[in-house]
Amino acid sequence: MSGRLPKYKQIQEELRYQIQQDVYQVGDLLPSENEMCAHYGITRTTARKALEELQREGYIMRRHGKGSVVVERRNSLGLLTVKGFSDVAGKAVRNIMVAKPHVASWDTSFVFTPSPTEEAGDCYRFTRIRCVEDDAVLVEVSWLDCGLVPGFDKQEFVNGSFFKTLSQCYLIEVLGSEQELQAISAQGTIADLLGIPVGSPILYIAVRYLTNKSGYYIYSKLYCNTSKYSIGNRFLSK
Amino acid sequence: MSGRLPKYKQIQEELRYQIQQDVYQVGDLLPSENEMCAHYGITRTTARKALEELQREGYIMRRHGKGSVVVERRNSLGLLTVKGFSDVAGKAVRNIMVAKPHVASWDTSFVFTPSPTEEAGDCYRFTRIRCVEDDAVLVEVSWLDCGLVPGFDKQEFVNGSFFKTLSQCYLIEVLGSEQELQAISAQGTIADLLGIPVGSPILYIAVRYLTNKSGYYIYSKLYCNTSKYSIGNRFLSK
DNA sequence: TAGTGGTCTAGACCACTGG
DNA sequence: CAGTGGTCTAGACCACTAG
């Protein structure tokens, strides 16, 4: 097992949890790097790494000469982070499997063209709807090479999570993703699943996930009704 | 002058330039960390910092035990990086000022509400269109507090760049941004400026830029025609 | 001025990829 | 196996912020 997390990650997650639990509230300063060193018995390099990651995740803002300030978290869809859709702050999220994984052929009408190795064989394909408080906000169609995940159509999802299943059952880790965003008009099935009129503007996101199995990708098409929940994003430079 | 760039930044920019110039092509390996240490006379920490930044920018992909691989750059809008819209790989980008900076009142119909300090006074407002090869793809309406940039309506843009002007004339640095994305239908003026039929689905992005002047922000509304150029994005974890 | 984060050095051990 | 990147230590000097 690769098992144990690096120290900086453990500390990062502990701090993130404390922010989520309001131990540190918006505007508060996190402990300084030196205080963290003393508290955890680590060096500044490790403390900094944890804090830099938290900044990248949008939980804090670091200011030279001042410290690490907890920043306001927006009430919008978890977005585009690598692992996809997860937390809409404080709201109940539900997933509905519309079409269970089944063998299909590759869809070619797509921004990302499958690699030749992939296109030669079949793929598994499945469709889910993501709801926030009973509003269907996202239709997600995903597919991946059959060779990558043998028996995937008979495999139960671990905790209902696709990525957890990949990691725990197939040792596949997602290293990153590429996305293309477009505004389009909702058509038949999609409009239907989202419960909106045909022709409504929706956000279409084509995603290609990079995995640790080189040459193999995971593809998703997301159709998102942004009328109630917009897609939030935060970037911090420096 | 704060002037000189840190070593890691210099190296990062040198490598990025070499990738852009095809000195290193897609699929190529960059020099290893140890090779870079020897070549530049630095330590691994510094070399790593440069490479991590390049990875974050989406130029390379780092693989444990293998090296730093140059990855394919997408042919889509420069996107959502902090400094906004810049390079559409290899295409001519042109900006048209539709409405020069002028004094206006705050727009309240907005995802981000101005802070009380801001709302008390007036603001400067201006509108630009961004074209890629003669296609208008983006309408951008920006505004910011009058107190932040005195005389902004009489100020020529440095190199036509809003951010350069802020930095060089007003010592304002952009530290990051928050964005909300939505798919909407194009209405009158916007449809007109983009040269598309009313009702066409477009991408609407509300942006709030964080600056080094605390309490002051810069706001933008982007209306983007994604039918020809989609918005590209890349995330790499770990 | 004291304390903070930003940069950097010079090491070390480990886990992973490839031949 | 040799070489790579991932993590970590124990220092250092500097620029920035705030009282």
Side-chain angles (χ1 to χ4, degrees):
Chain A
M1 280 292 96
S2 58
R4 225 186 90 276
L5 286 176
K7 284 187 190 174
Y8 81 86
K9 202 90 202 165
Q10 293 176 36
I11 294 167
Q12 171 192 347
E13 290 180 357
E14 178 172 334
L15 289 172
R16 180 171 52 207
Y17 183 75
Q18 290 176 335
I19 292 172
Q20 285 167 341
Q21 298 299 313
D22 279 340
V23 175
Y24 300 105
Q25 302 190 355
V26 171
D28 286 358
L29 282 173
L30 253 46
S32 76
E33 293 178 358
N34 285 320
E35 286 169 344
M36 286 181 54
C37 294
H39 184 271
Y40 291 106
I42 56 177
T43 54
R44 269 188 71 205
T45 312
T46 307
R48 281 181 65 76
K49 180 83 173 163
L51 292 169
E52 281 165 2
E53 291 296 319
L54 283 174
Q55 162 157 301
R56 204 152 294 126
E57 293 178 336
Y59 285 90
I60 61 172
M61 172 115 195
R62 315 194 67 207
R63 298 297 284 269
H64 195 169
K66 193 171 179 198
S68 300
V69 187
V70 175
V71 296
E72 196 192 346
R73 300 197 57 68
R74 304 210 58 77
N75 195 26
S76 61
L77 296 182
L79 120 113
L80 305 172
T81 44
V82 185
K83 297 278 171 101
F85 195 89
S86 33
D87 37 22
V88 179
K91 307 234 172 169
V93 176
R94 217 154 40 89
N95 298 329
I96 301 170
M97 183 69 77
V98 177
K100 287 196 174 177
H102 60 283
V103 176
S105 55
W106 291 95
D107 189 333
T108 51
S109 67
F110 196 46
V111 191
F112 302 111
T113 39
S115 62
T117 1
E118 290 176 328
E119 211 164 1
D122 280 332
C123 62
Y124 285 118
R125 180 178 181 135
F126 62 99
T127 304
R128 289 179 294 177
I129 303 181
R130 317 295 193 108
C131 306
V132 178
E133 290 187 336
D134 296 327
D135 294 311
V137 295
L138 183 81
V139 174
E140 179 170 14
V141 185
S142 306
W143 59 102
L144 68 173
D145 196 282
C146 283
L148 198 57
V149 286
F152 187 63
D153 50 347
K154 288 165 202 78
Q155 178 69 52
E156 279 296 315
F157 277 20
V158 176
N159 291 341
S161 163
F162 174 44
F163 288 112
K164 281 213 182 90
T165 310
L166 287 180
S167 171
Q168 294 182 19
C169 303
Y170 298 99
L171 304 177
I172 295 172
E173 299 297 336
V174 172
L175 304 174
S177 69
E178 302 170 71
Q179 311 168 333
E180 294 290 329
L181 283 73
Q182 256 181 292
I184 62 171
S185 294
Q187 299 306 322
T189 317
I190 301 296
D192 225 45
L193 290 171
L194 290 173
I196 54 177
V198 168
S200 308
I202 59 173
L203 192 60
Y204 167 71
I205 309 176
V207 187
R208 179 167 79 162
Y209 294 100
L210 306 161
T211 71
N212 56 344
K213 310 290 178 187
S214 75
Y216 288 101
Y217 301 93
I218 297 162
Y219 303 90
S220 285
K221 288 182 182 182
L222 313 183
Y223 301 90
C224 193
N225 175 7
T226 57
S227 62
K228 192 159 176 182
Y229 298 94
S230 62
I231 303 280
N233 230 339
R234 177 181 283 125
F235 291 97
L236 293 164
S237 57
K238 296 258 165 144
Chain B
M1 279 291 100
S2 58
R4 224 186 91 276
L5 286 175
K7 284 188 192 175
Y8 81 86
K9 202 90 198 167
Q10 292 176 37
I11 295 168
Q12 172 191 346
E13 290 181 357
E14 178 172 334
L15 290 171
R16 181 172 52 207
Y17 183 74
Q18 290 175 335
I19 292 172
Q20 284 167 343
Q21 298 298 313
D22 278 342
V23 175
Y24 300 104
Q25 303 189 353
V26 171
D28 286 358
L29 282 173
L30 254 45
S32 75
E33 294 177 359
N34 286 319
E35 286 169 344
M36 287 182 53
C37 294
H39 184 271
Y40 291 106
I42 54 177
T43 54
R44 270 189 69 205
T45 312
T46 308
R48 283 182 65 75
K49 180 83 173 167
L51 292 168
E52 281 165 1
E53 291 295 319
L54 282 174
Q55 162 156 306
R56 204 152 292 129
E57 293 179 336
Y59 285 90
I60 62 172
M61 171 113 196
R62 315 194 68 207
R63 298 296 284 269
H64 196 170
K66 193 172 179 198
S68 301
V69 187
V70 176
V71 297
E72 194 191 349
R73 300 197 57 66
R74 306 212 57 76
N75 196 24
S76 59
L77 297 183
L79 120 114
L80 305 172
T81 44
V82 185
K83 298 279 169 100
F85 198 87
S86 33
D87 38 23
V88 179
K91 307 233 175 172
V93 176
R94 218 154 39 87
N95 298 328
I96 301 170
M97 182 71 76
V98 177
K100 288 197 173 178
H102 59 282
V103 176
S105 55
W106 291 96
D107 188 335
T108 51
S109 67
F110 195 47
V111 191
F112 302 112
T113 39
S115 62
T117 2
E118 290 176 327
E119 212 163 2
D122 279 332
C123 63
Y124 285 118
R125 181 177 180 135
F126 62 100
T127 305
R128 288 179 295 177
I129 303 181
R130 316 294 195 109
C131 305
V132 179
E133 291 186 336
D134 297 328
D135 294 311
V137 297
L138 184 81
V139 173
E140 179 170 14
V141 185
S142 305
W143 61 100
L144 67 174
D145 196 283
C146 282
L148 198 56
V149 285
F152 187 62
D153 49 348
K154 287 163 203 79
Q155 178 70 51
E156 279 296 312
F157 276 21
V158 177
N159 290 340
S161 164
F162 174 44
F163 288 112
K164 282 211 183 92
T165 310
L166 288 179
S167 170
Q168 294 182 20
C169 303
Y170 299 99
L171 304 177
I172 296 172
E173 300 297 335
V174 171
L175 304 174
S177 69
E178 304 170 69
Q179 310 168 332
E180 294 291 328
L181 283 72
Q182 255 181 293
I184 63 171
S185 294
Q187 300 305 322
T189 318
I190 301 297
D192 225 44
L193 290 170
L194 290 173
I196 54 176
V198 168
S200 307
I202 58 173
L203 193 60
Y204 167 71
I205 310 177
V207 188
R208 180 168 78 163
Y209 294 100
L210 306 162
T211 71
N212 57 345
K213 310 289 177 185
S214 76
Y216 287 101
Y217 300 92
I218 297 162
Y219 302 90
S220 286
K221 288 183 180 181
L222 312 183
Y223 301 91
C224 192
N225 176 8
T226 58
S227 62
K228 192 159 176 182
Y229 298 95
S230 61
I231 303 278
N233 229 338
R234 176 181 282 125
F235 290 97
L236 294 163
S237 57
K238 292 268 160 126

